[in-house]
């Protein structure tokens, strides 16, 4: 009796588009061969059945390029957002519209090679993973300062939150289709995408891949925006930062008691006059900093909570593109 034919895995690609006017056509041409039945290096059959280009209302004319590509290629599906919501919200909007068995997210700048999707699928099937991240084998093609800041932020996140896997995420990821659509339906405003994925996935794998140089396009991320992503990652992962504040409070009390005991010892045993102004300024400055830090962290949590409670939408999908303002 002949063996059953291997399963054909259908894959949806989600690309958040902010400044893709000069790169989208090249990316679509690279994806085009994958829209026919293809085999992974491990022999698994797969096909890219749709490419969702999520227009995140950037300053260029990406909307016109998306419209043209959708007219030329039946597998290209535009998703129009009402305004700019950021990369993570745009990615979730694409996930919500995806229909494939697997959902792959990748950037518009050409760093990630669509041909590596087959290797990621092999990794997912071999390990029965629900989520597979690209694990770059070469340094990201950015400046040394940005790479160093990224490594530092991920190391801090892993240490503070007690989860090393959180520091190994990447925007090139393959997600089980059901999980991707479920997350897109329930993820609240302000939640970091990868944190949401960690909430509902139990098996996470990593696939070693080489990154390419970015195409000729300016990055949409400033250092302030990257810092904002870092804060979102910290504050949406859980309550561990609040516990650290409690620990900081106990440490501050212990530190103050040690200062008081030391001053009392000098006064009684060494007959040393204790000067009040210097020690007073140090103590006041220390505890004021602790209090302000605690209030700032609590305020950030309240801001995230208020955004969810008040019903602030993560994104809004429109039926037509929001055009960029004409050049002045």
């Amino acid at each position: 009796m002949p063996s059953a034919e291997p399963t054909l895995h259908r894959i949806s690609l989600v690309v958040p588009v902010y400044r893709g006017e000069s790169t989208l056509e090249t990316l679509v041409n690279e994806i085009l061969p994958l829209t026919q039945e293809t085999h992974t290096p491990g022999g698994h059959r797969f096909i890219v059945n749709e490419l969702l280009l999520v227009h995140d209302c950037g300053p260029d004319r990406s909307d016109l390029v998306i419209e043209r590509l959708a007219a030329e290629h039946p597998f290209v599906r535009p998703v129009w957002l009402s305004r700019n919501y950021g990369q993570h919200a745009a990615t979730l909007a694409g996930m919500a519209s995806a229909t494939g068995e697997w959902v792959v997210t990748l950037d518009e700048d050409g760093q990630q090679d669509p041909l590596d999707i087959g290797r990621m699928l092999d990794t997912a099937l071999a390990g029965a993973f629900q989520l597979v991240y690209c694990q770059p084998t070469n340094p990201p093609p950015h400046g040394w300062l940005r790479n160093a800041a990224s490594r530092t932020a991920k190391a801090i996140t892993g240490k503070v939150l007690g989860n090393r896997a959180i520091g190994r995420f990447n925007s090139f990821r393959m997600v089980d289709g059901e999980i991707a659509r479920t997350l897109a339906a329930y993820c609240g405003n302000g939640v970091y995408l990868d944190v949401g994925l960690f909430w509902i996935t139990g098996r996470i794998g990593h696939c070693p891949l080489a990154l390419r140089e970015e195409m000729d396009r300016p990055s949409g991320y400033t250092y302030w925006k990257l810092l904002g992503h870092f804060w979102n990652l910290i504050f949406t992962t859980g309550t561990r930062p609040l516990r650290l504040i409690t620990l900081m409070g106990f440490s501050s009390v212990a530190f103050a008691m040690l200062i008081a005991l030391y001053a009392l010892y000098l006064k009684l045993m060494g007959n040393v006059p204790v000067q009040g102004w210097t020690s007073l300024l140090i103590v006041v400055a220390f505890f004021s900093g602790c209090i302000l830090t605690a209030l700032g962290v609590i305020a950030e949590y309240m801001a995230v909570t208020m955004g969810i409670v008040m019903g602030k939408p993560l994104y809004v999908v429109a039926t037509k593109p929001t055009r960029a303002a004409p050049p002045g």
Side-chain angles (χ1 to χ4, degrees), residues 42-99:
H44 299 287
R45 300 165 60 225
F46 78 96
I47 185 173
V48 173
N49 65 308
E50 60 184 355
L51 169 62
L52 295 115
L53 299 178
V54 186
H55 183 239
D56 201 22
C57 302
D60 65 357
R61 299 320 306 264
S62 297
D63 54 323
L64 298 179
V65 178
I66 292 174
E67 287 180 322
R68 177 171 56 80
L69 291 172
E72 295 175 356
H73 304 286
F75 67 91
V76 175
R77 294 177 52 200
V79 178
W80 309 110
L81 299 185
S82 62
R83 66 168 179 82
N84 174 251
Y85 289 93
Q87 182 181 15
H88 287 246
T91 304
L92 284 165
M95 287 180 171
S97 300
T99 62

Side-chain angles (χ1 to χ4, degrees), residues 21-238:
E21 181 179 4
S22 61
T23 60
L24 281 179
E25 186 164 5
T26 301
L27 180 63
V28 170
N29 287 334
E30 289 183 333
I31 294 171
L32 187 59
L34 303 179
T35 60
Q36 305 297 321
E37 183 178 324
T38 312
H39 286 80
T40 70
H44 299 287
R45 300 165 60 225
F46 78 96
I47 185 173
V48 173
N49 65 308
E50 60 184 355
L51 169 62
L52 295 115
L53 299 178
V54 186
H55 183 239
D56 201 22
C57 302
D60 65 357
R61 299 320 306 264
S62 297
D63 54 323
L64 298 179
V65 178
I66 292 174
E67 287 180 322
R68 177 171 56 80
L69 291 172
E72 295 175 356
H73 304 286
F75 67 91
V76 175
R77 294 177 52 200
V79 178
W80 309 110
L81 299 185
S82 62
R83 66 168 179 82
N84 174 251
Y85 289 93
Q87 182 181 15
H88 287 246
T91 304
L92 284 165
M95 287 180 171
S97 300
T99 62
E101 174 191 353
W102 294 94
V103 176
V104 173
T105 66
L106 68 161
D107 294 337
E108 63 187 347
D109 55 14
Q111 275 191 70
Q112 299 137 353
D113 190 348
L115 294 178
D116 289 331
I117 292 173
R119 297 179 60 187
M120 297 182 75
L121 181 59
D122 281 339
T123 301
L125 296 176
F129 295 124
Q130 300 164 302
L131 169 63
V132 174
Y133 283 106
C134 162
Q135 182 177 333
T137 57
N138 57 323
H142 304 300
W144 68 269
L145 180 59
R146 177 170 168 178
N147 289 341
S150 177
R151 288 194 300 269
T152 302
K154 291 181 178 181
I156 291 173
T157 302
K159 292 289 185 181
V160 170
L161 302 175
N163 189 339
R164 292 184 178 180
I166 286 181
R168 298 174 63 193
F169 54 80
N170 191 279
S171 59
F172 194 14
R173 54 177 89 79
M174 173 175 281
V175 192
D176 180 276
E178 290 185 354
I179 288 177
R181 288 183 285 273
T182 299
L183 178 64
Y186 292 103
C187 191
N189 182 271
V191 176
Y192 199 87
L193 171 58
D194 295 290
V195 172
L197 286 170
F198 285 140
W199 286 346
I200 59 177
T201 52
R203 299 187 57 83
I204 302 173
H206 294 82
C207 180
L209 299 172
L211 298 178
R212 306 184 297 188
E213 291 292 330
E214 292 178 331
M215 297 184 196
D216 186 17
R217 118 195 216 290
S219 174
Y221 283 105
T222 64
Y223 284 104
W224 281 112
K225 287 185 177 181
L226 292 173
L227 180 61
H229 276 291
F230 173 67
W231 280 118
N232 283 339
L233 175 60
I234 291 292
F235 289 118
T236 59
T237 312

